[in-house]
Every structure is written in C-alpha cells, then in structure tokens.
Amino acid sequence: MILEEIKHPELKNHINMMYMHGENNNHEAIEKTEAIIKEYIQDKEFIISVEDNEPVKIPYANDGEYLVPIFTDKQEYENGMEYFRLNEMDENKEYAIEKLNYYKKLKEDPNFLGYIVNIARISYILNIAIL
C-alpha cells in the first residue's frame, strides 16, 4: 500500500460523532461509537511516523508517558510533518504504513497512552482501552 491509498473518512466521521456525543453527555452513544472505532481500526492500515523503524513518541506530561502520532491520509500526514517542523521535531521524516497492532510491544509499555490521530489538530486519542 502507498501513502496516497491510505484514506479513513469513516474514522474521521466517528471521531466527529464522539465529540458531538460528548457535548450532549450521551455516554451510551459514546460507548457505541468507541466500539465501532475499536472494530474499525483492527484491520486497517495507518500512516505512522517513524524514526529508525520505531514509532515516534510524543511526550505527554513529565512522567515519561507518551503518545504515538498516526495519520488517516496523505494530507493529514503532510500537515503533521509541518507541525513537527514548527515544533523542532522535523527529524521525524520517515513513515510506515502498518496496522496498529504491528507495534504490539507498545501496548505492554505502561507509559504508552495510545495513538493520537492527526497531531496537527489533536483531533482524537485512541487510548489503550480502544486498542
């Protein structure tokens, strides 16, 4: 699969729905949408920013916790790389196209909080419970 073939408009729609459900305090709908997202991401490939064949880790707080950025399409990836450049993290110029379970050892790391979708806009975090 190549960069231009990665497209996940369904995931983006589900993320938007999560925000709307959250604004309406509709916890039942949030749980249903999380279940849909969990099923959706199981067999899909995403663009993952890597350095030395390892996922890039974005520090979150000061106690060693981190997120791994993923991207749902080429435009999101290009925006994310611009974000990295603006924040002096531009050494992360490589990417891999993988399923999220490819990096199984991440789930075993207690400091791994999940994947952040579209870091340039910080649209959503796929936390450990969803993975």
Side-chain angles (χ1 to χ4, degrees):
M1 187 162 275
I2 61 172
L3 187 69
E4 288 77 15
E5 293 177 339
I6 303 294
K7 294 181 178 156
H8 296 290
E10 300 93 346
L11 180 60
K12 290 179 182 184
N13 289 338
H14 294 310
I15 289 170
N16 288 333
M17 292 303 294
M18 290 288 287
Y19 280 115
M20 290 195 310
H21 297 321
E23 287 178 5
N24 295 321
N25 290 322
N26 189 341
H27 299 289
E28 184 178 320
I30 289 172
E31 288 176 12
K32 284 182 181 179
T33 306
E34 278 185 342
I36 292 168
I37 289 173
K38 183 175 184 172
E39 184 176 328
Y40 180 87
I41 64 174
Q42 294 305 312
D43 63 348
K44 302 291 190 281
E45 293 180 318
F46 291 88
I47 304 164
I48 302 172
S49 185
V50 296
E51 186 173 14
D52 297 327
N53 296 320
E54 291 292 321
V56 170
K57 297 175 181 178
I58 305 298
Y60 190 85
N62 293 327
D63 39 352
E65 296 175 329
Y66 63 91
L67 298 164
V68 171
I70 62 171
F71 307 94
T72 61
D73 60 38
K74 180 182 176 186
Q75 183 63 49
E76 212 174 83
Y77 175 73
E78 289 171 352
N79 291 344
M81 291 302 97
E82 181 64 23
Y83 175 85
F84 283 151
R85 279 188 284 285
L86 293 173
N87 289 284
E88 299 179 3
M89 298 185 298
D90 60 343
E91 67 273 6
N92 307 315
K93 295 180 182 171
E94 299 177 19
Y95 65 88
I97 296 173
E98 300 289 350
K99 293 181 181 179
L100 298 183
N101 65 3
Y102 180 81
Y103 297 104
K104 291 178 184 174
K105 63 184 175 188
L106 285 175
K107 280 182 74 172
E108 298 167 7
D109 183 350
N111 289 323
F112 174 60
L113 299 176
Y115 294 99
I116 183 166
V117 180
N118 190 2
I119 191 168
R121 292 199 171 93
I122 310 180
S123 65
Y124 189 69
I125 295 174
L126 299 172
N127 62 41
I128 297 296
I130 291 179
L131 304 174

